[in-house]
Amino acid sequence: MKRATHISELREIIALEKKRGRVIALVPTMGYLHRGHLSLVERAKKTGAFVVLSIFVNPLQFGPNEDYASYPRDLERDANLVEVAGVDVLFHPSSEEMYPRPMVTYVEVGQLDSVLCGAKRPGHFRGVATIVSKLFHIVQPDLAFFGQKDYQQYLVIQRMVSDLNLPIEICSVSIAREEDGLALSSRNVFLTLEQRLEAKILSQSLNEAEASLRAGERSARKIESQLREKISGHCQGIIDYVEVRDAGDLSEVTTIERPVLIALAVKFGSTRLIDNKVVEVDRHV
Ligand code: AMP
């Protein structure tokens, strides 16, 4: 596996592979890798592409009171993991390499930024869209892989690629979970034992919401209040949001007749966890 910290080095490596006719796949991450990230790599490898994995904790997507400084980092452990997983080149630039000057140019993401995590984390998706756009320009991949764990991020990137006519296929990968259902996240290491045990309620409550929908419940507000009750009754986490929204454009839903995203964010102490489920319903039930 090659490693690059400078944009120029990475560009040289990729130019050579493109000349050889290889398809280029990009897996952007913030590191502290787990099985969820590796499932993205696995999917990318399956395409036969030359796989570039980036690790960059992007300051632009963290709010002033968020966990940029304390975000977990372990580059050498990550490098070993991705080498074993078959990544072709690991790109881990410094902040100075990515942001040599204060930015004046950003990618704005409009109404997709005003709901769910966007509403709770002002500027977050602008930071995400801007760094992903920079990575797309640096790597010029044919394919890029994103996890459904960050479903809103996936929609934002898909929309950016469509709006800006970027010739990149966005591939989404389903959520990797622990045995008890907790969605894998780099931030799970911050949970105390008690919080970790309680956190399984998030996926359990999403499963119950799905079951309730499948049993015929069509009121988005009822599903949301069932979820809230379940979560606040079984853990000490503080609900940031619990919402049922249109899975295609995140617009508001009252009566569920199309595929919906059931999404939640819950704070366990200072650790904010997100999870979601996309449910397609039969409108004739
Ligand atoms: P992050 O390092 O948290 O920015 O995540 C990098 C990529 O991995 C994003 O596309 C995430 O959606 C994806 N990812 C993170 N956790 C999971 C998971 N549990 N299952 C699948 N994909 C994930």
Side-chain angles (χ1 to χ4, degrees):
M1 183 183 73
K2 295 197 169 99
R3 287 173 71 153
T5 52
H6 294 290
I7 294 167
S8 55
E9 295 170 77
L10 182 67
R11 282 203 158 128
E12 269 177 36
I13 295 168
I14 290 168
L16 193 68
E17 295 303 326
K18 285 204 168 187
K19 227 187 242 169
R20 290 178 173 151
R22 296 290 300 273
V23 167
I24 309 293
L26 173 65
V27 180
T29 81
M30 297 205 299
Y32 213 73
L33 303 177
H34 50 64
R35 197 160 35 80
H37 298 109
L38 297 179
S39 69
L40 270 58
V41 172
E42 199 181 316
R43 274 279 304 281
K45 290 283 296 172
K46 272 199 185 135
T47 66
F50 181 83
V51 179
V52 181
L53 182 133
S54 62
I55 295 182
F56 181 62
V57 184
N58 173 35
L60 216 60
Q61 71 190 67
F62 288 79
N65 299 317
E66 293 183 356
D67 57 350
Y68 173 69
S70 60
Y71 195 83
R73 294 160 168 92
D74 190 340
L75 183 60
E76 290 317 308
R77 174 181 161 276
D78 287 349
N80 285 331
L81 284 172
V82 293
E83 178 149 31
V84 171
V87 164
D88 294 293
V89 53
L90 168 61
F91 178 52
H92 51 96
S94 63
S95 287
E96 294 70 37
E97 182 74 4
M98 294 306 280
Y99 299 116
R101 294 189 292 181
M103 293 283 279
V104 294
T105 311
Y106 296 93
V107 177
E108 296 284 352
V109 292
Q111 79 272 18
L112 280 179
D113 195 11
S114 63
V115 300
L116 305 177
C117 284
K120 298 292 178 179
R121 303 182 67 187
H124 171 68
F125 287 113
R126 179 173 96 146
V128 168
T130 303
I131 190 66
V132 171
S133 170
K134 279 166 76 74
L135 289 167
F136 282 177
H137 285 98
I138 293 165
V139 175
Q140 299 189 6
D142 303 287
L143 311 167
F145 291 80
F146 292 86
Q148 282 171 15
K149 158 93 185 332
D150 301 271
Y151 187 86
Q152 189 173 11
Q153 167 174 284
Y154 158 67
L155 282 189
V156 162
I157 300 301
Q158 219 183 25
R159 186 61 189 264
M160 174 181 84
V161 161
S162 161
D163 285 351
L164 301 180
N165 303 96
L166 304 182
I168 301 169
E169 191 184 326
I170 303 301
C171 310
S172 80
V173 178
S174 57
I175 304 177
R177 298 180 178 281
E178 299 283 6
E179 231 163 69
D180 67 358
L182 177 67
L184 294 181
S185 163
S186 305
R187 290 187 170 98
N188 289 352
V189 289
F190 292 131
L191 298 172
T192 64
L193 185 59
E194 189 188 8
Q195 290 168 338
R196 169 65 191 84
L197 292 171
E198 286 185 355
K200 65 173 182 285
I201 196 67
L202 305 186
S203 63
Q204 283 178 355
S205 59
L206 286 170
N207 290 341
E208 276 187 20
E210 178 180 14
S212 173
L213 250 160
R214 298 218 179 280
E217 180 58 67
R218 289 291 176 269
S219 160
R221 299 295 86 77
K222 274 207 186 130
I223 299 275
E224 286 169 359
S225 58
Q226 283 169 7
L227 270 160
R228 282 173 190 283
E229 257 173 51
K230 176 93 183 172
I231 293 168
S232 39
H234 289 81
C235 77
Q236 292 169 43
I238 306 293
I239 295 174
D240 206 13
Y241 66 77
V242 168
E243 289 194 46
V244 176
R245 286 191 169 260
D246 184 281
D249 61 8
L250 304 185
S251 60
E252 277 181 30
V253 172
T254 306
T255 304
I256 300 168
E257 293 173 323
R258 285 165 300 168
V260 285
L261 170 73
I262 311 173
L264 54 81
V266 175
K267 279 185 187 154
F268 288 84
S270 55
T271 308
R272 182 174 180 277
L273 301 184
I274 56 172
D275 200 351
N276 70 76
K277 195 174 255 286
V278 174
V279 184
E280 292 187 27
V281 290
D282 180 351
R283 62 165 61 209
H284 304 297
V285 170

